[in-house]
Amino acid sequence: MGAETVDLLVIGGGMAGLSAAARVAAEGGSVVLVEKAGRTGGSARFAGFVWTAPTTEVIRRVNPDGDPDLASALVDGFADGVAWIRSLGVECSPPVPVLGFGRGHQVDTNHYLDTCERLLRDHGQGVLTGTRVRSLLMENGVVKGADCLLPDGSAHRIEATWTLLATGGFQGDPQLRAEHVHPQAAHIGLRANPHSRGDGLALGRAAGAAFGSKDAGFYGHLMPAGVSPADPARFVDLALYYSEHALLFDTTGERFTDETAGDHLTTMALLERPEARGLLVADARVHREWISASYVEGIPGVDKFQLCHRAGARAAVADSLEDFASMPEEWGYPGATIRDRVEEFNAAMSTGAVTTPGRQLDRHPLDEPPYYVVEAAPAITFTFGGLLIDADAHVLAAETDGPVPGLLAAGADAGGLYRRAYAGGLAPSLVFGLAAARTALTGTPSATGS
C-alpha cells in the first residue's frame, strides 16, 4: 500500500475542494486532492454566477431559519472570495442583481476550476482523479486522513493533518433523496453531475459528525415534466425560471404557493404536491417580458416555451381561457377548474384583493391571450441538508459540543447554512472552501477540536 503525508487531504474536486486545495498550495502548504470522477470540477462547471446576499440583514431576512453564524460568515467572506478568484487571473464581471435581493458576478467557472487544478500541479501537489475513498483514518477520535483506491484498484493511504469533505452533497442518490428530502424526491430529475451520491455524508457520519435538519430542503428549479435533464446543456436552457411571473396549478387544479417568492422555492413546494407535477400557465405579457427574456443581466434570453416544446414536453398554446375546459383528459388536470382559478386570480389582481395563496410581487393579471402552458416538475441541483459545520469549516460532532478533530467540510457536504431558502450555491462553496484552507494552514486539531 502506498502512503503519503500532507497538511490537507481534500475529498472532492468541485468548487469547494479545488478552492481549498489551491489556496493551501498557494500559501506553501502540502495537499492532495482526491476526485472519484475522471475529471475535476463537478457541478460547478455548469454554473456561471458567484453571488449571495449583500448584507447579513438581507440574508437573515430571506433565510430566517438558517444558521446565523454561517450566514454572517458567507456574507463577510464573499468579497475576499471574489478577490481570490481575480488573483488567479480569472475575470469576474461587474456586480449585477440576482433574484431581486442578491448581488454577484458572472465568472468563467471552467477557467477558474482549471486554473485551481493547474496551480496544484504547478506546485507539485497531488491530484488523483478516478480515485475512491474507502474510509477515513481515525486515531483516538481524530481524523488523520483516508484509505483510497486508485484507478488501477491498488490501495493508497493518505495521512493528513486535516481532511476536507467536499464531495458535493447527496442529490445523485435517489434513496438518500427520499430519506432526507422527501419520499417523492427519489423520482425527480437531477440537474447536476451524477457523482455526488453522499460519499461525504457517509464518511462524516462514520466519524461521528452531526447531520443537519432532514427538512432543510434543496436547491433546484422547475423543469418540463417528462424531459430528461441529463444533458448539462439543458440545466439552464430548460429551467422554467419565469414561474415567478406565472401561475402554477397542481393535479387538483389549485394553486398552492406564492410563485413570486422564487422559482427555487416553488420547486420545493411542488415536490410535496400530488405526483410532484403541475401546470405552469403564463399569458402573452409573461411570454414577452419573461419567457423570452434574460433571467439574469448579462445572460442572453431564449424562448423557453419553444425550447420545451421542441424537447417533447407537454406544452400547448391556448387562444383563450375557455380553451382550458377542453384540456386533454390524459393530461390529468381539471381544465375547467384551472380556467376558473385564473379568472378568479385576474379579478383579484384587478381589484387589489388578497388571494390564497398570496401574491407578494408580480400582481399583474394573466389576461392577455394567448396562454402558454407547460407541465412542470421539480429537478434538484444540490441538497441543503449536510454535515453541520462552524464558520471555520470544522465539522461538528453529534455527541459533543465541539468539532470532530481533524475533519472539515464545505460545499454541499456542509449543512446548516440554508433551511428551505437560498442565497447562492457557488459562493458558499468558495467562501467555506477558503475557510477550510485557512483552518488547515493555521489550526491544530486535537481531541478537543481546539
Side-chain angles (χ1 to χ4, degrees):
M1 174 185 292
E4 56 186 307
T5 302
V6 293
D7 297 321
L8 177 66
L9 166 62
V10 177
I11 304 173
M15 184 74 172
L18 278 168
S19 297
R23 186 61 170 263
V24 167
E27 296 292 329
S30 58
V31 59
V32 170
L33 183 143
V34 173
E35 168 58 52
K36 73 176 183 179
R39 183 189 185 192
T40 62
S43 295
R45 291 197 179 276
F46 311 135
F49 269 85
V50 177
W51 73 276
T52 192
T55 66
T56 55
E57 291 76 17
V58 171
I59 196 169
R60 290 174 184 174
R61 172 174 58 81
V62 300
N63 178 42
D65 298 322
D67 184 316
D69 292 336
L70 296 182
S72 295
L74 171 60
V75 173
D76 293 344
F78 182 65
D80 287 342
V82 172
W84 160 252
I85 293 175
R86 287 174 168 156
S87 76
L88 299 182
V90 178
E91 182 180 357
C92 285
S93 297
V96 296
V98 182
L99 288 189
F101 66 85
R103 297 284 287 177
H105 308 264
Q106 188 174 6
V107 176
D108 185 341
T109 51
N110 282 282
H111 184 198
Y112 173 70
L113 298 165
D114 291 340
T115 298
C116 286
E117 181 175 344
R118 185 171 62 252
L119 187 154
L120 286 171
R121 297 185 186 279
D122 288 348
H123 282 71
Q125 307 303 309
V127 179
L128 305 178
T129 56
T131 299
R132 295 181 176 272
V133 174
R134 295 193 299 184
S135 62
L136 296 179
L137 302 176
M138 301 289 295
E139 182 180 318
N140 298 323
V142 181
V143 176
K144 293 285 191 176
D147 280 329
C148 306
L149 283 178
L150 297 174
D152 63 4
S154 62
H156 185 65
R157 172 166 293 197
I158 304 172
E159 297 177 357
T161 306
W162 293 95
T163 299
L164 171 63
L165 301 175
T167 67
F170 58 85
Q171 60 276 354
D173 187 301
Q175 291 184 334
L176 288 176
R177 295 200 305 262
E179 178 182 357
H180 297 297
V181 178
H182 189 276
Q184 294 191 130
H187 309 294
I188 63 177
L190 177 66
R191 58 186 305 273
N193 83 84
H195 303 293
S196 295
R197 301 178 59 87
D199 294 12
L201 176 64
L203 291 168
R205 297 184 83 173
F211 179 72
S213 172
K214 292 185 67 170
D215 64 347
F218 65 97
Y219 173 69
H221 282 289
L222 297 180
M223 302 282 281
V227 177
S228 172
D231 180 358
R234 291 181 163 180
F235 292 171
V236 173
D237 286 350
L238 295 184
L240 304 176
Y241 304 128
Y242 70 87
S243 72
E244 299 168 11
H245 306 277
L247 296 178
L248 184 64
F249 299 91
D250 66 13
T251 54
T252 71
E254 302 294 338
R255 289 179 63 227
F256 52 90
T257 190
D258 179 356
E259 301 91 345
T260 69
D263 183 75
H264 57 293
L265 301 178
T266 300
T267 299
M268 282 190 279
L270 182 58
L271 176 62
E272 300 172 357
R273 305 304 295 177
E275 302 179 50
R277 63 188 179 102
L279 281 191
L280 193 60
V281 179
D283 70 351
R285 178 191 66 85
V286 174
H287 181 270
R288 181 174 59 251
E289 297 180 2
W290 300 104
I291 297 178
S292 303
S294 173
Y295 178 65
V296 177
E297 184 179 329
I299 300 296
V302 295
D303 189 333
K304 288 184 176 291
F305 180 83
Q306 290 298 328
L307 289 178
C308 291
H309 187 270
R310 289 199 294 268
R314 183 173 280 172
V317 178
D319 291 330
S320 70
L321 286 177
E322 285 304 317
D323 289 348
F324 281 77
S326 57
M327 186 177 298
E329 184 176 348
E330 62 268 21
W331 283 28
Y333 296 87
T337 300
I338 293 176
R339 174 202 60 198
D340 294 345
R341 296 297 177 264
V342 176
E343 290 177 342
E344 292 166 5
F345 173 84
N346 288 345
M349 294 301 101
S350 298
T351 61
V354 175
T355 62
T356 302
R359 189 78 169 179
Q360 182 179 2
L361 298 177
D362 188 340
R363 293 182 59 82
H364 289 85
L366 298 186
D367 59 0
E368 185 181 337
Y371 293 89
Y372 296 83
V373 181
V374 175
E375 186 175 44
I380 187 170
T381 302
F382 68 89
T383 47
F384 293 156
L387 306 174
L388 295 183
I389 65 168
D390 65 15
D392 295 315
H394 296 106
V395 172
L396 303 181
E399 301 298 331
T400 71
D401 293 331
V404 176
L407 190 61
L408 308 168
D413 280 356
L417 172 63
Y418 297 140
R419 184 180 180 279
R420 302 190 73 82
Y422 171 73
L426 289 184
S429 296
L430 173 66
V431 168
F432 291 105
L434 295 179
R438 183 170 60 250
T439 297
L441 289 165
T442 62
T444 303
S446 71
T448 61
S450 60

